[in-house]
Amino acid sequence: MAVTAAVEKWVDEVARLCRPDRVIWHGGSEEEFERLVDAMLRDATLHRLNPSTYPNCYLHRSHPQDVARTEHLTYVCTPRREDAGPTNNWMAPAEARDRVGAIVKGSMRGRTMYVIPYLMGPVGSPYSRVGIMVSDSAYVTASMHIMTRAGRVALEHLRTPEDFVAGLHSLADLSPERRFILHFPLERLIWSVGTGYGGNAILAKKCHALRIASWQARQEGWMAEHMLILGLEDPSGEVTYLAAAMPSASGKTNLAMVQSALPGYRVWTVGDDIAWMNVDDQGQLRAINPERGSFGVAPGTNVKTNPSALEMIRRNTLFTNVALTPDGEPWWEGMSDAPPAALLDWQGRPWQPEAGPAAHPNSRFTAYLRQCPTISPHWEDPKGVPISGIIFGARRSREVPLVFEAFDWQHGVYMGASMGTETTAAATGKVGVVRRDPMAMLPFCGYNMGDYFAHWLEMGKRLAAPPKIFRVNWFRRGADGQLLWPGYGENVRVLKWMVERIKGKARAVETPVGLIPSPDGLDLTGPELAGPEASRSAVAEALSYDREGWLQELEEQRALFEQFGERLPAAIWEEHTRTRQGLAR
Ligand code: OXD
Ligand code: MN
């Protein structure tokens, strides 16, 4: 591998600090991946799944106290606290290096340090970026191999010898008391210690592609977002690309690869978690998916919710913290109606239903996106795909309509910035409470979110025709607690409405919160939705907004916005006030 002096220097420095017994460079070949897997099978880090039904698939069980992202242990280390902003934990860079340096010092003794050069984005794309990560975990290295274009190819994309994000990862002693995920955006550096869990440890993903990249994107005039990217093909064969931000474990992977319930329409997958978006020389927003794999939430994945994912994960896949059947197959809640007999739970113990779920609620699959049956022929296009619409989606049992459209870009930015969502198991902490999660980036924005909203507003000015912005909520429930909208394949009906709005065709009703489909706006053709009176009225209820609830919502938004003080753009307050005045009329 042609390693530049700058890369070599950094790797040497880290090796001197962490003191591994040996250093292995990951060149990215399948043989190297297999060697990693063999070593992990030998030391029981991995267990082979049934080779006839799940060839080249493996189960990993993580430390039981290391099963989700730990946001309270995640820091942005900028010289000035206000640059990290009120929504990030902050530590001064010198203090961070001292405190965490003491933990990583000598932490790799007796271990191998893997060096993983990786490319984020398609080969040959001007928008792709390079990272160099070191890790003392073979599991993390294998995950990086699936999730990124790792090895030699990355080094070939270095634009200058120093042009890489550096990431140091050490399991250290896996103690939650000595766990830190630190970001030094000015130095383009990440340190993650005491954890081996995906989002904390696969540094290319949240740490690089979102936290550090969002900082770089602001400086350089592009966007790094927590968004899926999909193309909706209509019956004439025309494909319209949309990007959608949704909080963790709220259906991005399902929507990105949805199989349409609407005849004549199909969805093509470009990405399921992260979008990097640039403005091209025509003023068009173009998106690439920086990743090559999917790190998806397993529970709830089944033939109805995501048949594409089920096909994607039938080979060459790592499973983490799922349950195991006696036939050596993975299982999780929601995979089948009844659990198979004699399961081992996610910790490898005979499953006792009264002891909780068999699979951990945040159990995952790590799989190659190219194995997804809906993968777009353009998913690795170096130019990216043109984005015509942006969707913000949240989990809300009440108040928020199934779909509505912003009046314009500024209103859309406010819609994203003000979003609240019910929390999930993707991060440690209480599940099901509403918290503000602007643009689904609360845990991932590497700088002051007041500046982030300003950056969004600026980007709109640079676009020849800014994409239309929509909000969706698949999770609205009726008074009986039942979901009002069937979701999954039926969501394509909502995507169709958006595309028709983009093309100036579908109708909408103006309300103080945005433009909502007119009663005949959504295509509900087919017996299931249009036929039964009950389902028609459920859809009508799903499309309504609740005035009282919204007024309360505005108060919660105010509490979020006030935290940013002067750094909150006036345009956001303007839209907040306009909504309140509209509701008062
Ligand atoms: C993820 C997450 O893993 O958002 O993608 O937590
Ligand atoms: Mn995510």
Side-chain angles (χ1 to χ4, degrees):
M1 264 191 266
V3 179
T4 68
V7 171
E8 207 156 344
K9 180 165 169 278
W10 182 73
V11 171
D12 285 350
E13 260 170 44
V14 179
R16 273 199 303 279
L17 177 65
C18 302
R19 300 262 159 228
D21 279 12
R22 65 198 81 74
V23 175
I24 296 182
W25 286 73
H26 184 66
S29 67
E30 291 314 307
E31 293 71 40
E32 287 163 286
F33 179 78
E34 275 157 30
R35 275 204 295 278
L36 278 169
V37 166
D38 286 343
M40 287 191 280
L41 288 170
R42 280 196 303 274
D43 71 10
T45 302
L46 291 186
H47 306 273
R48 191 186 293 282
L49 296 179
N50 187 322
S52 358
T53 50
Y54 283 86
N56 298 321
C57 290
Y58 307 94
L59 166 64
H60 172 68
R61 296 192 182 107
S62 72
H63 188 284
Q65 286 184 322
D66 189 27
V67 291
R69 282 184 294 98
T70 41
E71 293 174 8
H72 59 295
L73 304 174
T74 301
Y75 292 81
V76 172
C77 306
T78 43
R80 291 187 313 190
R81 181 181 216 129
E82 58 273 27
D83 290 335
T87 58
N88 279 312
N89 301 312
W90 175 82
M91 211 188 289
E95 183 194 342
R97 280 187 185 266
D98 280 358
R99 272 176 77 182
V100 182
I103 302 170
V104 288
K105 197 166 173 198
S107 65
M108 296 190 187
R109 278 207 178 89
R111 300 181 186 168
T112 300
M113 180 174 98
Y114 298 95
V115 183
I116 315 139
Y118 61 93
L119 177 67
M120 298 308 281
V123 171
S125 171
Y127 307 134
S128 295
R129 297 297 170 105
V130 176
I132 311 287
M133 173 180 176
V134 302
S135 175
D136 56 5
S137 159
Y139 162 74
V140 167
T141 306
S143 303
M144 285 286 292
H145 177 91
I146 296 176
M147 293 304 298
T148 72
R149 296 163 182 90
R152 284 168 216 286
V153 66
L155 296 169
E156 288 158 12
H157 282 73
L158 278 174
R159 294 182 293 187
T160 64
E162 283 90 25
D163 182 26
F164 61 90
V165 170
L168 158 57
H169 169 252
S170 174
L171 296 171
D173 64 3
L174 278 182
S175 156
E177 273 75 56
R178 281 181 293 284
R179 181 173 298 160
F180 290 94
I181 301 102
L182 307 177
H183 304 76
F184 303 84
L186 290 176
E187 290 133 275
R188 288 175 298 167
L189 175 70
I190 304 156
W191 276 11
S192 164
V193 298
T195 171
Y197 168 76
N200 287 343
I202 304 172
L203 301 188
K205 194 174 182 57
K206 304 300 182 184
C207 302
H208 177 165
L210 289 175
R211 297 196 193 94
I212 300 284
S214 62
W215 176 287
Q216 290 183 308
R218 172 163 173 254
Q219 312 249 302
E220 297 167 11
W222 50 284
M223 305 169 92
E225 300 297 332
H226 192 203
M227 290 182 175
L228 67 86
I229 311 162
L230 63 78
L232 180 70
E233 181 175 329
D234 71 13
S236 75
E238 196 180 334
V239 181
T240 306
Y241 292 94
L242 307 168
M246 291 169 187
S248 306
S250 298
K252 277 200 301 301
T253 302
N254 292 344
L255 183 63
M257 46 191 77
V258 67
Q259 296 193 8
S260 174
L262 190 61
Y265 285 79
R266 68 175 295 176
V267 162
W268 295 103
T269 312
V270 178
D272 76 336
D273 195 44
I274 299 176
W276 283 359
M277 301 194 287
N278 281 265
V279 185
D280 72 9
D281 48 14
Q282 309 293 308
Q284 168 67 51
L285 194 63
R286 303 195 76 91
I288 58 163
N289 172 9
E291 305 189 282
R292 83 156 174 171
S294 168
F295 180 64
V297 177
T301 307
N302 61 45
V303 276
K304 175 167 170 267
T305 60
N306 196 339
S308 311
L310 279 193
E311 205 174 317
M312 175 175 76
I313 63 181
R314 277 314 270 260
R315 54 195 200 282
N316 311 320
T317 297
L318 300 180
F319 292 89
T320 304
N321 295 339
V322 298
L324 186 65
T325 74
D327 295 335
E329 296 186 348
W331 191 85
W332 45 80
E333 276 64 26
M335 188 184 208
S336 53
D337 287 341
L343 279 176
L344 292 184
D345 74 6
W346 63 278
Q347 295 184 69
R349 305 168 304 196
W351 181 47
Q352 313 286 348
E354 54 295 347
H360 188 275
N362 190 35
S363 53
R364 300 280 181 144
F365 51 76
T366 310
Y368 293 103
L369 266 174
R370 62 167 183 255
Q371 294 181 179
C372 180
T374 57
I375 195 75
S376 160
H378 299 290
W379 85 286
E380 294 190 289
D381 189 333
K383 294 192 304 301
V385 294
I387 296 297
S388 304
I390 289 178
I391 304 169
F392 295 116
R395 252 177 203 275
R396 294 300 294 268
S397 322
R398 297 182 205 296
E399 287 110 26
V400 181
L402 172 64
V403 58
F404 55 114
E405 179 192 320
F407 302 123
D408 53 27
W409 181 265
Q410 175 172 307
H411 181 232
V413 173
Y414 159 74
M415 257 167 41
S418 59
M419 192 163 85
T421 194
E422 288 153 22
T423 51
T424 69
T428 51
K430 206 162 183 297
V431 168
V433 290
V434 175
R435 75 166 181 184
R436 296 294 115 192
D437 188 355
M439 277 91 170
M441 280 288 277
L442 181 81
F444 307 121
C445 183
Y447 62 102
N448 189 312
M449 286 197 103
D451 298 343
Y452 170 74
F453 304 146
H455 179 52
W456 264 83
L457 293 164
E458 276 311 303
M459 288 297 295
K461 295 184 193 143
R462 291 183 40 213
L463 295 166
K468 273 193 184 293
I469 299 183
F470 302 91
R471 273 199 60 178
V472 296
N473 175 24
W474 315 134
F475 302 92
R476 182 89 176 261
R477 291 177 189 271
D480 58 359
Q482 295 298 310
L483 286 167
L484 292 170
W485 174 251
Y488 308 110
E490 306 293 352
N491 290 340
V492 174
R493 299 175 190 277
V494 175
L495 300 182
K496 178 187 174 199
W497 180 77
M498 293 176 186
V499 169
E500 289 181 346
R501 290 291 301 163
I502 290 164
K503 294 186 174 159
K505 289 192 203 148
R507 279 197 300 247
V509 180
E510 187 168 335
T511 77
V513 303
L515 300 158
I516 298 185
S518 56
D520 59 347
L522 285 187
D523 180 347
L524 299 179
T525 47
E528 216 182 294
L529 282 168
E533 169 62 32
S535 82
R536 265 184 295 132
S537 65
V539 173
E541 192 180 338
L543 285 172
S544 66
Y545 73 97
D546 159 21
R547 189 178 164 280
E548 290 311 312
W550 212 282
L551 286 168
Q552 173 59 32
E553 176 78 12
L554 288 178
E555 286 314 303
E556 288 166 26
Q557 293 175 10
R558 172 186 298 285
L560 168 80
F561 293 151
E562 275 172 355
Q563 295 178 67
F564 300 105
E566 297 282 284
R567 284 175 97 142
L568 190 85
I572 301 290
W573 278 130
E574 235 173 67
E575 295 299 335
H576 185 264
T577 307
R578 201 194 311 260
T579 309
R580 192 167 31 75
Q581 287 167 346
L583 287 167
R585 269 201 287 276

